[in-house]
Amino acid sequence: MSEAVAHERVVEQLPKAETHIHLEGSIRPETVFDLAAKNDVELPEDSVEELVAAYDFESLNDFIDKFAFIPQILQSAEDFERVTAELGADSARQNVPYREVAYGYAGYDGLGVDWETVDAGIAAGRERAREEHGVELRFIPSIDRTADPERGVSIVEHVADIEADLGIVAVGLASKEQGYPAHDHARAFELADELGFNTVAHAGEDVGPGSVWNALLALDVDRIDHGVRAIEDDILVEYLAQRDVPLTTCPVSNVELNVYDDLSDHPVVDLHEQGVFVTVNSDDPPMFHADLNENYVRVAETFDLSLEDLVALAKHSFEATFLDEEDKATYVDRVEEAAEDLRADVAGD
């Protein structure tokens, strides 16, 4: 089989985890229109095709500003259940048996949607994903960098009471990076640590390595979302490598938001070769016109990755999760079983 076909086939057959995807950013364009009609929300475009074509952004801030209509279409527990269950179907389609999914609360403040509605819908959708599609979805409530820090504290207090229903595995930090340093939310992350939550933060996407340092030192996070601009600081790269801090990179997203001009400029492989623990993720797949498998394939084709490179990335994807060590090992074994079949196929060609 040709290398191009081999990349697609390998990615399809390897089980993968995903640790950087946003629930609100994963909604199918068709579902966006259905929910907008149901909830009497006017969309910026008149058709699914026009909406998909309008998913074109100049920067992270431009994306966040244009994305602001999405919370308006989610108004009931049934709406949240639907988009969560559909994410489960998408997971099964891509051979992604496990995902850690970020979601927000701040976007619903002022829209008449209380946090309990969000929770009930996600919990029901998560159960459907497990029963109907055989996939496990766990969740990461994200504190909005631009919000009042006390709101972040309230979120941590809230999720401490509902973590089992949503399978909450961590508390996160997201939204606009420029002008909103991670240390503003130190108290919320201190509380999260006191309550036993893992922690993650978006950093080093729209702002350089100083933002990654800030998240690591001020919040003591366990994992960095994006983190790619760490490549600009040799000391930071060494620090990340020595401490085995996972970076949940989103290569296509970074190109779509003009962090890098072309995928060939992306440092995902360079970081990996320097010993940094990197994974490949999709971020907001419909918005960036590439699901998880497509991210893997495009990285593989751009950097001429081998079968063993892709196997290593798939194993890393599970090792970067907040699963316990026994469950991680079980998933890694599943990757190796699939890899053995693929190796046999290659040897037979």
Side-chain angles (χ1 to χ4, degrees):
M1 54 187 169
S2 71
E3 281 302 310
V5 172
H7 286 142
E8 292 179 4
R9 181 174 171 184
V10 168
V11 170
E12 288 171 357
Q13 291 191 223
L14 288 174
K16 300 163 294 292
E18 184 161 29
T19 49
H20 189 159
I21 182 170
H22 298 265
L23 178 65
E24 293 90 346
S26 72
I27 303 173
R28 299 170 181 171
E30 296 82 2
T31 300
V32 170
F33 267 81
D34 285 350
L35 293 179
K38 170 180 175 287
N39 293 319
D40 196 25
V41 174
E42 184 176 351
L43 294 176
E45 307 296 337
D46 295 326
S47 69
V48 170
E49 292 75 20
E50 290 176 353
L51 182 66
V52 171
Y55 288 162
D56 183 23
F57 312 103
E58 296 178 1
S59 64
L60 173 64
N61 286 0
D62 182 48
F63 165 70
I64 291 171
D65 290 340
K66 289 180 177 176
F67 179 76
F69 72 88
I70 290 290
Q72 299 175 42
I73 70 171
L74 298 167
Q75 297 184 11
S76 69
E78 290 74 21
D79 298 340
F80 286 94
E81 177 182 348
R82 174 177 176 177
V83 298
T84 304
E86 288 181 352
L87 183 58
D90 174 79
S91 301
R93 175 184 63 82
Q94 294 189 79
N95 199 6
V96 182
Y98 180 82
R99 265 174 163 158
E100 294 177 352
V101 185
Y103 70 100
Y105 286 113
Y108 309 104
D109 291 344
L111 295 177
V113 178
D114 58 46
W115 292 358
E116 289 74 18
T117 296
V118 179
D119 300 337
I122 290 176
R126 176 179 178 241
E127 187 60 30
R128 281 182 56 192
R130 184 185 296 120
E131 292 180 354
E132 297 173 12
H133 305 293
V135 300
E136 182 67 23
L137 302 179
R138 299 192 183 175
F139 287 87
I140 300 174
S142 291
I143 294 168
D144 188 329
R145 281 177 175 266
T146 71
D148 186 319
E150 287 305 310
R151 206 58 171 154
V153 173
S154 297
I155 288 172
V156 177
E157 292 172 339
H158 173 73
V159 298
D161 295 327
I162 52 93
E163 59 179 304
D165 293 338
L166 275 66
I168 290 174
V169 293
V171 169
L173 185 71
S175 192
K176 295 181 179 180
E177 198 175 357
Q178 292 184 19
Y180 300 98
H183 65 247
D184 287 350
H185 298 278
R187 175 63 194 126
F189 278 75
E190 289 170 2
L191 179 59
D193 184 62
E194 291 168 8
L195 294 172
F197 288 112
N198 300 298
T199 54
V200 304
H202 284 57
E205 175 190 17
D206 204 34
V207 178
S211 179
V212 180
W213 279 120
N214 194 227
L216 290 169
L217 301 181
L219 304 186
D220 192 27
V221 294
D222 301 297
R223 197 166 70 199
I224 295 288
D225 290 326
H226 293 297
V228 288
R229 293 190 60 188
I231 197 68
E232 299 167 21
D233 182 339
D234 291 343
I235 295 174
L236 177 55
V237 169
E238 183 178 356
Y239 180 96
L240 293 167
Q242 288 180 347
R243 286 160 178 77
D244 220 22
V245 178
L247 303 185
T248 65
T249 75
C250 303
V252 174
S253 165
N254 293 157
V255 175
E256 290 287 320
L257 296 184
N258 295 304
V259 179
Y260 298 102
D261 292 335
D262 188 83
L263 194 57
S264 61
D265 301 321
H266 198 279
V268 58
V269 171
D270 192 1
L271 286 163
H272 171 69
E273 290 176 346
Q274 293 190 56
V276 179
F277 187 170
V278 297
T279 64
V280 170
N281 304 271
S282 64
D283 204 0
D284 303 280
M287 305 284 186
F288 302 133
H289 313 287
D291 61 20
L292 181 61
N293 282 3
E294 289 164 328
N295 269 266
Y296 269 80
V297 170
R298 288 177 63 176
V299 169
E301 292 177 349
T302 299
F303 296 102
D304 193 25
L305 300 188
S306 67
L307 167 60
E308 298 308 325
D309 292 330
L310 289 167
V311 170
L313 281 174
K315 289 180 177 179
H316 284 173
S317 74
F318 290 105
E319 291 163 348
T321 68
F322 292 123
L323 288 164
D324 63 37
E325 293 305 315
E326 183 177 353
D327 286 339
K328 287 182 185 182
T330 298
Y331 279 120
V332 168
D333 286 346
R334 286 175 59 179
V335 175
E336 184 56 32
E337 289 171 5
E340 283 299 317
D341 291 340
L342 288 162
R343 292 180 190 116
D345 288 347
V346 171
D349 285 350

